[in-house]
Amino acid sequence: DLQLYGSDQVLNHEALAQLWGQVQKYEPEGLFLFADQIAFALQPLLLSQKITPGQDIHIISCNGENTYLKLLHPRPASVNLHTNELGRRAVDQLLWRLDNPNSPSEKVILRPSLLPGSLD
């Protein structure tokens, strides 16, 4: 029951290394990671084990966070969830709901998009 994030929301690198130790036994061809921050932390670990991302293992991460992605070579593909737009739409919806409490519920859908990786 390893926790990747502590109560302070900081990535636990030791837990990540332990999880990778469990996963690598299966010799995966690729990984889907739920956050670009994980890809940023995992890539040096892989390289230290002579595993080359983009060649030995393919990575797709999530969130489209350029802060992390721009530092990765090769840059993995990332599913952009448009979190800024999602937050803005949530606030707009909340403000509208406060003015219209008896209106029927409404569903707002934002489709994710795939940001391609680089091959470097």
Side-chain angles (χ1 to χ4, degrees):
D1 219 9
L2 296 171
Q3 297 293 319
L4 275 181
Y5 290 95
S7 59
D8 55 3
Q9 296 300 304
V10 173
L11 183 67
N12 181 338
H13 290 266
E14 185 178 310
L16 180 63
Q18 288 178 17
L19 285 171
W20 170 245
Q22 294 172 12
V23 169
Q24 76 179 35
K25 293 183 247 180
Y26 300 101
E27 299 178 6
E29 292 181 25
L31 295 172
F32 182 81
L33 306 173
F34 67 86
D36 298 321
Q37 182 184 19
I38 306 261
F40 179 74
L42 182 62
Q43 198 169 70
L45 176 63
L46 295 175
L47 291 170
S48 75
Q49 296 179 6
K50 308 288 189 251
I51 299 168
T52 305
Q55 291 178 13
D56 301 322
I57 192 164
H58 299 282
I59 296 173
I60 297 176
S61 61
C62 214
N63 295 341
E65 293 181 89
N66 199 44
T67 303
Y68 297 111
L69 294 172
K70 70 182 179 184
L71 299 172
L72 295 176
H73 303 284
R75 179 182 171 139
S78 181
V79 177
N80 187 353
L81 300 175
H82 306 288
T83 53
N84 289 338
E85 176 68 9
L86 184 63
R88 188 187 65 74
R89 294 291 299 267
V91 170
D92 289 347
Q93 187 70 15
L94 176 60
L95 293 173
W96 179 85
R97 176 58 62 194
L98 290 171
D99 290 338
N100 303 282
N102 297 321
S103 294
S105 64
E106 214 175 90
K107 202 180 275 191
V108 176
I109 297 173
L110 293 175
R111 296 180 192 265
S113 58
L114 183 63
L115 301 172
S118 67
L119 299 177
D120 279 358

